[in-house]
Amino acid sequence: MTTQRKPSSPAPRRNEASRRAILSAAFALVQEVGYAKLSIEGIAARAGVGKQTIYRWWPSKGAVLFDAFLMLSEQPDSGDSALPDTGDLEADLKAVLRATVEELNDPRYDEPMRALNTEITHDPALAALYAERLDGPMRELKKDRLRSAQRAGQLAGDLDLDVAVDLIWGPLLNRWLQRTGALTPGYADSVVETALNGLRPRR
């Protein structure tokens, strides 16, 4: 879920301090009690606001948790959010996937991210919001980096970039979600090498 984009708010915010307090409370509580026991009432009590404030701004606790993740990505001084482009596609992709592995293995994020993924699976509205505000923009950044490689002759010109993104980034999320094996930097490197061996232009 690594991103530096600044998302738009889902609804007008009258009090930014209260919004951030609510989102921080949601993120902290889901780590402490788990998603099943996370409640709007608990979030409100931790944030020091009325629960009606939360209900007015978010339709569900899943939506609150999603915005909490987006708040973590708000980095005003981060500058350009594009993926690295050093001219070495393999090295750049390995760096990005290694950073993703580090994030997925961070115990602070494991429970909240698993909860969010579960909620997205069962909540079509939240899934649409996730696609619009996080997955879609991040997918475009990934495709932009692959387009640059196409222009440099490092990838086939007729490559389906959406499929390429799935091939490169999908295995990490699948292994993490299903706990089918260790999520390591070495695995990330292997995914990149295997994908590129099939995606490079035929000589």
Side-chain angles (χ1 to χ4, degrees), residues 95-191:
V96 171
L97 264 65
R98 279 173 170 255
T100 302
V101 164
E102 183 177 355
E103 183 178 271
L104 291 173
N105 284 330
D106 190 326
R108 296 174 299 171
Y109 301 141
D110 186 75
E111 173 66 25
M113 285 193 294
R114 290 185 184 280
L116 181 59
N117 275 275
T118 299
E119 196 70 5
I120 287 171
T121 300
H122 297 287
D123 185 341
L126 184 59
L129 192 64
Y130 171 76
E132 175 190 351
R133 297 177 61 203
L134 183 58
D135 186 62
M138 283 305 303
R139 177 171 285 265
E140 287 306 311
L141 291 178
K142 295 167 184 176
K143 288 164 66 175
D144 284 345
R145 179 61 188 91
L146 298 182
R147 286 191 191 98
S148 176
Q150 283 181 314
R151 292 192 294 269
Q154 297 171 337
L155 293 178
D158 60 353
L159 179 66
D160 186 320
L161 295 182
D162 283 303
V163 173
V165 168
D166 291 340
L167 283 173
I168 295 167
W169 277 270
L172 266 65
L173 181 59
N174 184 72
R175 177 171 282 209
W176 173 74
L177 278 173
Q178 299 187 19
R179 305 180 194 269
T180 55
L183 201 59
T184 65
Y187 177 71
D189 289 352
S190 180
V191 167

Side-chain angles (χ1 to χ4, degrees), residues 20-71:
R20 297 185 73 86
I22 291 165
L23 298 180
S24 296
F27 193 79
L29 278 173
V30 76
Q31 296 175 73
E32 295 173 15
V33 304
Y35 188 72
K37 294 182 179 179
L38 183 69
S39 67
I40 295 296
E41 290 76 10
I43 296 170
R46 173 68 65 92
V49 301
K51 65 181 181 180
Q52 289 305 318
T53 298
I54 300 178
Y55 284 121
R56 185 168 64 249
W57 289 347
W58 291 277
S60 67
K61 67 178 184 179
V64 179
L65 184 59
F66 176 54
D67 265 14
F69 272 105
L70 292 181
M71 183 182 72

Side-chain angles (χ1 to χ4, degrees), residues 3-8 70 73-78 81 133:
T3 179
Q4 295 179 354
R5 298 179 68 87
K6 287 192 270 186
S8 58
L70 292 181
S73 73
E74 295 171 357
Q75 301 177 26
D77 300 323
S78 62
S81 58
R133 297 177 61 203

